[in-house]
Amino acid sequence: MSAVLQDPQLMEVNPPLVRSEDYHDLTEQISVIVEGDVVKTPLKYWITLAVTASVTGILGLMLAYLVSTGIGVWGNNRPIGWAWDITNFVFWIGIGHAGTLISAILFLFRQKWRTSINRSAEAMTLFAVMCAGIFPLFHTGRPWRAYWLFPIPNTDLNLWQNFRSPLIWDVFAVSTYFTVSLLFWFTGLVPDLATLRDRTASKLKQYIFGALSLGWRGSARHWRNYEKAYLILAAISTPLVLSVHSIVSFDFATSVIPGWHTTIFPPYFVAGAIFSGFACVMTLLLIARWTLNLQNLITMKHLENMNKIILVTGSVVSYAYATEFFIAWYSGNIYERFTFLNRAFGPYWWAAWSMYTCNLLIPQLFWFKSMRNNLWVMFIISITTNIGMWFERFVIIATSLTRDFLPSSWGYFHPTYVDMLTFAGTIGLFLTLFLLFARFLPMIAISEVKGVLAVQKHTFKDEEVVAHDLR
Amino acid sequence: MSSLINIQTPNVTGKKYWRSLNQLADTKEFRDWVHHEFPANATEMLDGNSRRTVLKLMAASFGLAGLAACNRPVEHILPNSAGTEADNYLPGEPFHFATVMSIGGHVTGLLVETHDGRPTKIEGNPDHPHSLGAATAIQQAIVLGMYDPDRSAKVLQSGKESTWPALEAAVQKLSLGDGSGLRFLSGFVSSPTLDSQRTAILKKFPKAKWVEYEALSRDNELAGANMAFGQPLYAHPKWDKAKVVVSLDHDFLNLDAPTPFFTLAFSKRRRVGSEEDLDKMNRLYAVESQFSLTGANADHRMRMKGSDVLQFATDLAAALGAMPGLNVVNNGDKRGKFLAAVVKDLKAAGPEALVVAGPRQPASVNALVALINEKLGSACVTYTKPVIDKSNSGIDALKALAGEMSAGQVSTLVILSGNPVYSAPADLQFPVALSKVATSIHLGAEEDETAAAATWHIPEAHILESWGDEASSEGAASIQQPMIEPMYGGKTPVEIVNWVTTGKFTKSHDIVKNFWLAQFTGDKEQAWRKALHDGVVAASKTVDPIKVTVDTKKLATALGAATKAASTGIEVGFYPSSATWDGRYANNGWLQEAPDPISKLVWGNAAMISPKLARDQKLTDGDIISLTRGNVKMEAAVMVQPGHADDAVSISLGYGREKCGRVGKDVGANANLIRTTDGFYFAQGFTLAATGKRETLATTQERGTGDNQNGRPLAREADVEEYKKSPKSIEEMSEVPEIHSIYPEFTYDKGNQWGMAIDLTSCTGCNACVVACVAENNTPVVGKDQVLRGREMHWIRMDRYYSGDENDPEVVEQPIPCMQCENAPCENVCPVQATSHSPEGLNDMAYNRCVGTRYCANNCPFKVRHFNFLNFHRHEPELVGLVYNPDVSVRMRGVMEKCTYCVQRIEETKIKAKRDGRREIKDGEIKTACQQTCPAEAIVFGNINDPNSRVAKLKKQERNYAMLAELGIKPRTTYLAKLRNPNPELTA
Amino acid sequence: MAVIFPKSSDIILKVAGAVAGIGAVIAVAAFTYYTYPTVIDTGYQPVQPVPYSHKLHAGQLGLDCYYCHSTVYKAAFAAVPATSTCMNCHTQVKKDSPRLEPVRQSYATGKPVPWVQIHRLPDYVYFNHSAHLSAGVSCVSCHGRIDQMIEVHQEKPLNMGMCLECHRDPAPNVRPANLVTKLDWVPDRDPREIGAEIVAQKHLEPPTNCSGCHR
């Protein structure tokens, strides 16, 4: 694309980002997965899908049980009004961050290596936000009244929402984020959908893809509009990457509870979100890379770059931990001090320490290039990171609530099976959606990768690949 | 497009890809061409507007979710067909009726609030000398008992359902003759009518006997007087006159006094209304085994086994030189020091000194106390003759009766209320003895153990639905009047006694009324109406105190005779339960869920042991132990109680009911199994063994030992002397920085500004306010399981903090209602404005607006917001719904609820004032439920905007502080620090 | 490439989009309208067991509302009269009108007449008649011209919006206390002025905070 041309640094991409025979091969490689007739979708795919789908079913059951019986089916109590529900919410929202970051920010920074991963990252974002969205809705005692959280004109009650409440800010932040991410993702899909439309023989598919690709013919005019739209969306969603999790962090930062009432939260949460988001992308990509043989498109370069980001954000998070403890000590506030001592050595020490291990210690391995390039290491770290980040949210939310100001009202939280199955259910939902996406939509942005491919060809004339291509 | 490429890219092969345009991008022609095709520019679309539009649309679309069902159910209005006889009856408006109740001989006048004929709330009767407007937790909870669907509703014959006619036939058949086979077994008789019936019966049937038995009675008090003065007398401590009070195992602030009166009188010298009261403040020494509320409120507490108290009393008497031939047995300098200090203090106080002995202490201790008081010349105790004969009352009388029964000498036994099969000492084998009785007729409120064992069981009417009368130990009588017809056709003792002995049934109303009309002079009908209205019978003669002196010689011999049991093995002490008393209130959910004031235990009892004993026996909370002595044995879960006497176990009676309603069945362990006539209140020589089994005990607060306030200035305290020196010290315990909200702050300076002050000095920690709140505000009972999950719903809770050494800790009790913060953290975070501030400074909560995010509860520093995690009310039997206060909405599942300073009372009063055409509300005109019932008057509510209001004055005191004020939340509820009045000699 | 969609599909798409947009707007409007109590509740006119005519009694005969609804000044509830109240007159007047049969029945048997409730507030709303009457709010404000209704129907929505409207600005609905039951009262000047004076003189500050009505 035009953007690519004004991109000097790409001129010396070496080794090339992606390896593909030529444009056609690339198209082939991605499309056959979607079309699934040349290459039959393996049985193990359908089995996996069946499993994840049934886990999603459990989610449905749990939510039905919750709504029909009450929040009491969870372990929440007084003082721990929020526990796994909001933990899971923040966890999923956090994961959702990588997508936008990759699509928007890396795009604006002309990081061409994003092209191979942005499509799946964006998809992941959407699915993660969907999972996240479940919790704010169902954690309310009366979900059937949850629409009161939205500023609907109500001449009946003459009542408005409390716009001072961070929960209201959440409503706006999250819904905006989802909408923009969706548009972003879909816009990117249009050219590829058109490609699929043109490739398929089946009339039905032609109609479906045809409708979805909004009559994309690929005229220069189309491309120009596409470029504009893409740029605009990137511009819109860049601030969102920062805003969403900042606002989510306000849920805690604006309260009076020691352990929540902290100004460091916004940057701390954003860093954590990107941290976990990239880890999750990593997990999914590695699996996709193996199962769908995309080694040539998702190269070591991609993976290593992501590992670097994981290392950086991980370190930022670690720094935040340190700061929290320092401030707790430095403030001289007895409640603050107690909270952090209690966090590390109180009844929830195990949660805190698993968090420190996963988020603070393990990622440090990425200082070594060998580690950054070892598939198994990065796979495991991507997993531990996500575990660690879940614990981070749990530690922040639960341990701060268990022991606040009045020792008389201290309590302890025991999750019920409903808590666990609900969380498991959202994972099921997430995977189901992602599997469907991987099978029925182009997992890799064909057109964008072609862009990179083209540049490579154009740049390194001496390369045999290109010579053959230009013949 | 292909044409375009063909024209301008000669170097490109036929293969046409979009990307090949790159090669042309910077050729002039291409740029021109592009420019022609796209006059527009991308940048103008780069503003965020799209976001807002998206949101608007989305917001609207979500609205569709809320589409309500539009058809409307038909509801009927059913007015009376013929007006109503009750004059000035207003539908929906509350009415108050005076009545009276007696527990174990402690009589208290009550005021019952009814809505449209439903009793809904019980309060103390301000005109009654033993209530003065206050009521205990138990007294307030009995209203729930009236709606108890598990109450006895039908006649039983040997435990099987029978009919009234059948019973009638049986009663007709009775041949009582001279009454040689006729026996009556009743509880403590304090009803003049019943007493007169008794006299008549004993005249009519000379050989008949009438036995009184209470599991927890005042018999030792009388026996003690008998020992000291040669005649049974009631001792009446004048708490408000005493400057120094020494309590010998007498928990007069809680368990041993099921009446608000003692606390009320005692706190008169405890409350610090102004600076000069500081010098009037009394000093309390407590000697006890279990950690009781009296011990918690004592300035000095000495823990010792119940059986050692006699020795202590003797030493005290000796040290005072009250009795020749006694000398102080010195065991341990700690105790010696304590004794010396007490003696010195008592002597100094002289007529203002008061020593009291607990009803659970043997006659000898009570006698010694009488002697000591006489020696001290104490003006704080008077003695009166019992107005109602007690000659055949108590454990010995019951023993004799049981003997006769097993010997088959009893043909007809009438058991008037009470549950002897459950509560009689184990060694009497009462069930066996009962089986030997030809006809036993049991009148009882529930189908309990006795109901099942007796040949006939008759449902007893609840006191709120039946006529009767009670006279206090000084003789102040009150009429017990019903607010409602007996719901289950229950009968009353007077009716049954009359029926059985005369064969014809007369309604208790007539019996009681006739009795009293006979007493009255002048306009009898008028006097009767007045008695009903006031709740006190003006004509009833209160007996005058009599002047008596101790016969030292007799006493000495008597004391010698009083066997001192050798203190070997473990001692087990039996206590009343703060919830179920002796078991009669076991089926009352409000009481089962009201935490024990010290242990915070709910839904059950436990064997309380000292930390040392726990360590020695390697026991922790919940371990089940067995207690064995001879052939009696029981099992119970232990709970470690800081400050408990070593080598002793304390267990409360009234649990482990086998035949009981749904609520109380099999809750806790039955201590009656090991209670015997020789060790009625405490017994030596038990062997304690761990069983290896465990039980989860539900408490509402982590126990913790040592300082479990974690050095936080929450419940603040100081010694009087310190406080006099540096009054500022209380406030300075926390520094309150100047914090301002980022939002414009509302100024609360106009009209009524509600506030509350809670005096920790006079607050004893009894649960009266907790239960009062439950009754007033329809807060649900959640049950043991939910309490274990930390979901109890009490709007006002009693926090208990220990400090100091685990063996002799100090305790401070702190009631925690909503603080009604002016900058309430809960309000900012509610997304739907379900909780917001009223201009009068209340933190309003609109249940019907709440969606239940629980954010407010999380953000509440005091954790006084309670969430309906489940539909707690659904599990209640429909009938229980009748007890609800119609002025407060019953909250559904999924909404938050909290203390509102009884806003319904505030609004009602404001409206009333408006009707009367006045604007200002008199100070004290509005009383919150907790304030109204507090026997210690520790809670004061009112308009802080009026400098002359009581609350405003209290808040001016130096020891007034706002908890967690450093958060800038400006609480409206503030506390007056707890002042202790220790003896400098012991603190030094 | 094969042409799948005709050229017209562009227009179709645009039209569809427009339709969807407008549809959404209409949907919201419809929702707001049909859930508004004015639409749901007003005009509710159930069939009563006795065809009692307020028009006749309160209107033509000029009975004061207070004669039957005797608790309005003292209590929260405006009690529906006991059958005996009806029989005060109907033992003489229309002694044996068949339409009064249920009333006589009830008077004889003591069983109440099952009147159907018309003006109904949710349980969590604590409305107090005496408070409003002593403030000088007339029956008309909430119940309309009952004295002109042969069979009573609900005239006002009685929703929170309506309550707040008046609580925020009581003047238009406040009149001298002795005229509250005079439904046909016509003020000689702007009622708002009169109201404003009374509000000032009585220091009326109707609550607009939650606990004013919800407890």
Side-chain angles (χ1 to χ4, degrees), chain C residues 6-205:
Chain C
K7 193 130 187 59
S8 62
S9 42
D10 276 2
I11 294 82
I12 295 169
L13 192 68
K14 293 195 180 94
V15 172
V19 169
I22 297 160
V25 175
I26 292 171
V28 175
F31 167 76
T32 330
Y33 177 74
Y34 283 109
T35 54
Y36 188 62
T38 324
V39 181
I40 299 177
D41 292 337
T42 50
Y44 176 65
Q45 186 175 35
V47 181
Q48 298 290 359
V50 181
Y52 174 86
S53 161
H54 276 81
K55 185 168 195 222
L56 172 64
H57 292 81
Q60 289 153 15
L61 302 178
L63 286 180
D64 190 299
C65 314
Y66 178 63
Y67 179 77
C68 300
H69 304 289
S70 54
T71 62
V72 274
Y73 289 106
K74 300 190 232 81
F77 297 101
V80 169
T83 316
S84 53
T85 315
C86 315
M87 296 307 277
N88 288 349
C89 302
H90 286 290
T91 39
Q92 285 82 26
V93 189
K94 293 197 180 268
K95 266 216 242 34
D96 26 39
S97 140
R99 304 168 83 200
L100 284 170
E101 188 48 32
V103 181
R104 287 193 293 274
Q105 280 278 332
S106 148
Y107 194 59
T109 59
K111 290 209 186 61
V113 181
W115 301 102
V116 182
Q117 187 178 24
I118 298 170
H119 301 93
R120 183 166 166 280
L121 296 176
D123 299 347
Y124 49 75
V125 177
Y126 289 85
F127 179 84
N128 188 310
H129 276 90
S130 67
H132 289 80
L133 265 61
S134 60
V137 179
S138 165
C139 318
V140 186
S141 303
C142 305
H143 298 289
R145 290 298 299 275
I146 296 281
D147 60 335
Q148 293 179 345
M149 301 181 192
I150 294 172
E151 280 195 65
V152 178
H153 64 268
Q154 180 171 341
E155 189 155 300
K156 301 285 170 72
L158 300 182
N159 62 319
M160 183 161 152
M162 176 186 158
C163 301
L164 278 172
E165 215 170 282
C166 181
H167 273 230
R168 286 172 179 152
D169 171 28
N173 290 302
V174 174
R175 59 171 74 176
N178 56 339
L179 295 172
V180 286
T181 57
K182 199 165 176 349
L183 306 187
D184 53 2
W185 179 62
V186 197
D188 45 12
R189 56 203 168 97
D190 177 10
R192 170 177 280 281
E193 277 177 33
I194 305 173
E197 285 161 18
I198 298 168
V199 168
Q201 164 235 333
K202 283 190 179 172
H203 306 283
L204 296 182
E205 291 157 352

Side-chain angles (χ1 to χ4, degrees), chain A residues 239-452:
Chain A
L240 284 181
V241 178
L242 304 176
S243 72
V244 177
H245 228 55
S246 302
I247 287 173
V248 168
S249 78
F250 289 163
D251 288 350
F252 311 103
T254 59
S255 83
V256 298
I257 301 302
W260 285 13
H261 184 68
T262 325
T263 45
I264 196 182
F265 266 13
Y268 167 19
F269 267 52
V270 171
I274 296 165
F275 184 45
S276 62
F278 267 78
C280 193
V281 178
M282 177 67 79
T283 320
L284 295 175
L285 276 187
L286 288 172
I287 297 168
R289 191 168 180 272
W290 282 318
T291 50
L292 306 172
N293 310 314
L294 300 170
Q295 285 81 352
N296 60 329
L297 297 180
I298 305 168
T299 60
M300 270 303 166
K301 179 137 186 80
H302 295 111
L303 302 177
E304 188 177 358
N305 285 358
M306 289 177 65
N307 289 339
K308 285 179 183 163
I309 293 189
I310 288 178
L311 176 59
V312 172
T313 48
S315 310
V316 174
V317 170
S318 313
Y319 171 74
Y321 297 159
T323 317
E324 277 191 322
F325 274 92
F326 172 75
I327 294 298
W329 165 79
Y330 185 70
S331 67
N333 178 321
I334 53 172
Y335 305 104
E336 201 71 19
R337 281 188 188 184
F338 174 84
T339 303
F340 282 90
L341 289 176
N342 180 59
R343 189 173 281 185
F345 308 109
Y348 283 108
W349 61 271
W350 47 270
W353 288 106
S354 18
M355 145 183 149
Y356 297 137
T357 321
C358 295
N359 300 349
L360 194 154
L361 300 178
I362 298 178
Q364 303 308 322
L365 289 174
F366 280 153
W367 286 109
F368 309 101
K369 189 169 180 57
S370 58
M371 292 292 156
R372 290 202 298 271
N373 288 293
N374 179 322
L375 290 168
W376 278 109
V377 170
M378 63 178 82
F379 184 68
I380 290 160
I381 293 186
S382 72
I383 304 256
T384 57
T385 302
N386 273 308
I387 295 171
M389 284 310 290
W390 188 89
F391 269 114
E392 179 186 299
R393 278 60 176 254
F394 178 77
V395 165
I396 291 174
I397 292 168
T399 64
S400 306
L401 285 174
T402 43
R403 297 188 162 187
D404 65 346
F405 296 96
L406 270 56
S408 61
S409 54
W410 288 354
Y412 193 81
F413 169 79
H414 300 279
T416 65
Y417 76 94
V418 184
D419 281 301
M420 301 176 191
L421 290 181
T422 311
F423 181 43
T426 51
I427 298 176
L429 173 63
F430 179 74
L431 293 177
T432 312
L433 291 168
F434 196 83
L435 282 169
L436 291 171
F437 157 76
R439 166 66 180 74
F440 295 100
L441 287 171
M443 248 197 84
I444 289 185
I446 306 173
S447 53
E448 297 209 20
V449 176
K450 281 177 182 169
V452 183

Side-chain angles (χ1 to χ4, degrees), chain A residues 1-2 4-5 22-24 66-82 85 139-152 154 157 159-169 172 175-176 179-180 216-225 228 231-232 235-236 239-240 243 250-252 254-257 260 334-335 338 401 403-412 416 447 450-452 454-455 458 469-471, chain B residues 1 4 13 15 17-23 25-26 30 33-34 37-38 40-48 50-51 54-55 58-60 62-67 700-702 708-714 741 743-744 786 788-792 797 799-801 814 816 825 827-833 835 847-855 857-871 874 892-895 963-964 966-967 969:
Chain A
M1 324 192 220
S2 59
V4 181
L5 289 176
D22 57 20
Y23 300 133
H24 180 68
L66 177 80
V67 174
S68 61
T69 315
I71 301 296
V73 302
W74 284 345
N76 301 39
N77 61 20
R78 190 179 60 91
I80 303 108
W82 289 345
D85 44 6
H139 97 289
T140 60
R142 303 198 291 172
W144 53 91
R145 287 270 179 240
Y147 71 95
W148 278 348
L149 288 160
F150 295 88
I152 308 155
N154 57 348
L157 300 178
L159 268 185
W160 284 103
Q161 285 62 29
N162 176 10
F163 293 103
R164 292 178 179 187
S165 168
L167 286 186
I168 288 290
W169 309 342
F172 292 109
S175 41
T176 314
T179 323
V180 173
W216 174 275
R217 293 188 324 283
S219 72
R221 183 198 188 88
H222 283 178
W223 274 112
R224 185 78 167 84
N225 286 339
K228 276 191 203 167
L231 190 68
I232 293 161
I236 293 176
L240 284 181
S243 72
F250 289 163
D251 288 350
F252 311 103
T254 59
S255 83
V256 298
I257 301 302
W260 285 13
I334 53 172
Y335 305 104
F338 174 84
L401 285 174
R403 297 188 162 187
D404 65 346
F405 296 96
L406 270 56
S408 61
S409 54
W410 288 354
Y412 193 81
T416 65
S447 53
K450 281 177 182 169
V452 183
V455 176
H458 189 60
D469 174 47
L470 295 175
R471 182 177 9 90
Chain B
M1 61 211 82
L4 166 82
T13 64
K15 249 189 187 168
Y17 285 105
W18 295 115
R19 312 295 282 119
S20 65
L21 280 169
N22 299 336
Q23 303 150 20
D26 41 358
F30 184 73
W33 174 78
V34 167
E37 194 171 359
F38 301 99
N41 186 336
T43 48
E44 81 276 6
M45 289 152 77
L46 269 173
D47 63 282
S50 53
R51 281 178 62 178
V54 169
L55 281 172
M58 189 182 45
F62 265 90
L64 295 164
L67 198 59
T700 57
Q701 190 179 338
E702 288 176 355
N708 66 352
Q709 273 198 73
N710 291 51
R712 302 173 176 190
L714 303 173
S741 168
Y743 300 112
Q786 292 297 314
L788 280 169
R789 295 169 188 269
R791 294 170 181 172
E792 68 275 4
R797 64 172 192 269
D799 284 0
R800 179 263 299 118
Y801 294 115
Q814 184 182 31
I816 309 273
E827 288 172 6
N828 261 346
V829 299
C830 175
V832 294
Q833 283 187 354
T835 182
Y847 311 116
N848 42 302
R849 175 67 172 174
C850 178
V851 295
T853 66
R854 298 186 297 290
Y855 198 175
N858 290 341
N859 207 26
C860 173
F862 308 96
K863 294 287 173 279
V864 290
R865 291 181 152 265
H866 298 262
F867 186 68
N868 288 271
F869 282 96
L870 298 166
N871 199 348
R874 171 174 292 167
M892 77 177 297
R893 144 168 79 97
V895 305
M963 200 173 21
L964 295 181
E966 54 266 46
L967 298 177
I969 52 185

Side-chain angles (χ1 to χ4, degrees), chain A residues 55-71:
Chain A
V55 178
T56 315
I58 295 175
L59 173 67
L61 292 177
M62 287 305 124
L63 292 180
Y65 179 40
L66 177 80
V67 174
S68 61
T69 315
I71 301 296

